[in-house]
Amino acid sequence: MATVTVSQTLASANDLLSQHFALIARVKDSQKSHRRKLRALPSPPLSILKLPLVTSPKPSPPPSPPSSPLLLPRRKPPRADLPPAKRARAIHYENYIPEEETIRNDYSQRYVDGGEWPQNWVLGAEPERRFEEYPKQQRLLALKKVSVTEYALPPTYLPFSELATLQPSKFDVIVIDPPLSPSFSWDTLQELPLSALAADPSFVFLWVGSGAGDGLERGREVLAKWGYRRCEDVCWVKTNRKGNHGPGTDPPTTSLLTRTKQHCLIGIRGTVRRSTDSWFVHCNVDTDVILWEGDATDPTRKPPEIYTLVENFCLGLRRLELFARARSLRRGWVSVLADGEETHVQAVQSLRAADAQLSPEQLLDSTTTNVLGQELGVDRAERWDQDKWESAMRAWLQNGRAVVPMTPGK
């Protein structure tokens, strides 16, 4: 076998370089020749440049799909052989099959055809029907609602600029929906004096976004900065029953699937055990998944059900919300309003009174409003008064703890 020497390899390389150099020279000469010819060509007449453009023909319309006749669902006769829970589902859902304990549906295909998200069809998502198969659970939640309402002050509020006036009061649970923006970052949020406001033990509920960015990681960092550790995650899954505009209308996203959820991290401070601390927490009585349509007029608004979830879980009476809205003022809560929300408080109160058919005089009468508010959900919101609030907490102390009693009225 012939062996190629180093001198032969170098000679072959030099020959290739010479051929490449000659090719480049010919290309440059050809370009110069073409440029000279272009410069020698006369300019087109001005009349040609003023001629109108040739219009393009209109595209042919796409063929319209054949319309199918609207078929009305046939009402099935009630079945007396079913237990009450299954009978209720058979009445509510046309395609419910009791024998299979399922709903015959292709949720993926429905999304492709009509843009309906699969979570629209989750059974028992509404709070009033969530535990329809568990009557004892329903009774428990009803009793808790009575106790929470009985041991609750009318809603109180203060602007965010007066946040420091809350000290030295302590709170058992804090809900935060941070208004993240270029002027308010995670670094700004973690500088808030949450450690000075948090009791021991206590909980914080922090909304961190859909998980598309760094919200989940930064949320954990902020909790640790405040002295909390993440212990649970509440997930809000959005539906589009009312706002569905058909297939292909979901907002663009970098994810393969449309992001239709928001996360709320739960942080715990101190030590709380389920087995021994039932005076402070009531675990496993509610769900950690919320299905809600959302507010079309305010896309940043969070599910109102989060307040009920907090009240069912944490029995502490000292509840605080940061960056609250005027519409979220709630009995039993101290609301630190976001910037500009204080001007909307009176308007929201008037709307609630009108919905409950209260007169303006009744709305201004604290005695009448507080009595009717327990039934109608309308309470006259008051400015934060630390002495009055602390006095009410001391009056409700049980064994040195301001908590919702396990038995109403005691």
Side-chain angles (χ1 to χ4, degrees):
M1 183 175 181
T3 302
V4 180
T5 62
V6 175
S7 58
Q8 290 175 336
T9 303
L10 291 176
S12 176
N14 290 331
D15 184 51
L16 289 175
L17 289 174
S18 300
Q19 294 179 14
H20 180 70
F21 179 78
L23 176 62
I24 295 298
R26 289 197 301 271
V27 170
K28 290 183 177 179
D29 292 339
S30 177
Q31 290 177 342
K32 291 179 181 179
S33 174
H34 285 302
R35 292 193 188 98
R36 287 194 297 269
K37 293 179 181 180
L38 288 174
R39 294 192 191 100
L41 292 176
S43 300
L46 187 61
S47 57
I48 295 179
L49 298 178
K50 293 184 178 181
L51 290 176
L53 298 177
V54 179
T55 58
S56 302
K58 295 182 179 180
S60 58
S64 58
S67 59
S68 57
L70 180 62
L71 299 178
L72 297 177
R74 292 180 298 176
R75 193 169 186 83
K76 295 181 292 186
R79 293 180 52 180
D81 60 313
L82 297 176
K86 290 189 176 183
R87 195 183 313 144
R89 287 190 173 184
I91 294 175
H92 284 297
Y93 304 102
E94 290 292 334
N95 51 355
Y96 177 68
I97 308 298
E99 290 75 15
E100 299 182 7
E101 193 64 32
T102 185
I103 283 190
R104 295 180 180 271
N105 224 327
D106 188 343
Y107 304 122
S108 300
Q109 191 61 42
R110 290 188 72 97
Y111 174 70
V112 173
D113 295 339
E116 297 168 289
W117 293 340
Q119 55 264 35
N120 293 355
W121 309 98
V122 175
L123 296 179
E126 302 84 356
E128 61 275 7
R129 295 179 49 214
R130 182 165 300 155
F131 302 105
E132 59 185 7
E133 298 184 16
Y134 304 94
K136 291 184 179 180
Q137 185 85 350
Q138 287 182 323
R139 184 172 180 272
L140 171 63
L141 294 178
L143 292 174
K144 287 180 69 68
K145 182 177 180 180
V146 172
S147 293
V148 169
T149 304
E150 182 179 356
Y151 289 83
L153 293 174
T156 56
Y157 67 92
L158 67 158
F160 183 77
S161 58
E162 300 179 10
L163 177 64
T165 63
L166 292 175
Q167 301 182 35
S169 298
K170 301 292 184 179
F171 295 89
D172 301 312
V173 60
I174 305 174
V175 174
I176 308 174
D177 182 13
L180 297 174
S181 65
S183 60
F184 192 96
S185 63
W186 289 104
D187 295 331
T188 309
L189 178 65
Q190 72 178 8
E191 296 304 322
L192 296 182
L194 259 291
S195 300
L197 299 175
D200 192 352
S202 62
F203 295 94
V204 63
F205 288 70
L206 177 62
W207 290 100
V208 296
S210 66
D214 59 351
L216 290 170
E217 290 74 17
R218 294 304 305 271
R220 287 179 172 86
E221 295 174 4
V222 171
L223 292 181
K225 176 76 173 181
W226 292 336
Y228 287 88
R229 62 186 184 278
R230 182 260 182 197
C231 63
E232 191 55 85
D233 185 346
V234 175
C235 188
W236 164 33
V237 181
K238 300 179 183 179
T239 59
N240 68 341
R241 298 186 186 93
K242 301 177 182 177
N244 176 32
H245 302 292
T249 58
D250 287 335
T253 174
T254 57
S255 173
L256 176 63
L257 303 176
T258 302
R259 298 193 181 274
T260 59
K261 59 180 175 58
Q262 293 279 325
H263 293 273
C264 181
L265 297 182
I266 304 179
I268 182 173
R269 179 186 178 122
T271 302
V272 179
R273 296 184 176 89
R274 299 185 182 190
S275 57
T276 59
D277 296 325
S278 58
W279 60 270
F280 189 64
V281 291
H282 203 172
C283 303
N284 300 329
V285 298
D286 212 334
T287 178
D288 55 2
V289 177
I290 301 174
L291 280 88
W292 186 56
E293 185 81 6
D295 190 342
T297 63
D298 185 2
T300 63
R301 186 186 179 194
K302 300 304 185 291
E305 189 184 339
I306 188 68
Y307 303 105
T308 305
L309 187 149
V310 170
E311 294 165 353
N312 289 339
F313 169 66
C314 181
L315 302 180
L317 295 177
R318 302 174 296 179
R319 310 182 191 97
L320 174 68
E321 181 181 12
L322 299 185
F323 307 106
R325 311 293 181 87
R327 68 173 67 182
S328 66
L329 294 179
R330 185 178 177 91
R331 185 177 178 84
W333 289 73
V334 178
S335 300
V336 180
L337 297 176
D339 292 338
E341 286 293 320
E342 188 176 8
T343 58
H344 304 311
V345 171
Q346 295 303 323
V348 171
Q349 291 286 293
S350 299
L351 288 175
R352 289 182 177 179
D355 292 340
Q357 298 181 353
L358 289 179
S359 66
E361 292 77 14
Q362 289 175 318
L363 181 62
L364 294 176
D365 186 350
S366 60
T367 304
T368 304
T369 307
N370 291 342
V371 173
L372 294 177
Q374 297 186 17
E375 298 295 330
L376 302 176
V378 178
D379 287 291
R380 184 171 63 88
E382 303 173 352
R383 287 275 300 192
W384 159 258
D385 186 328
Q386 190 171 37
D387 294 336
K388 181 179 179 180
W389 185 84
E390 290 284 358
S391 176
M393 294 298 111
R394 287 193 296 269
W396 284 332
L397 286 178
Q398 302 181 51
N399 299 324
R401 304 159 177 165
V403 294
V404 178
M406 298 299 289
T407 303
K410 295 184 180 180

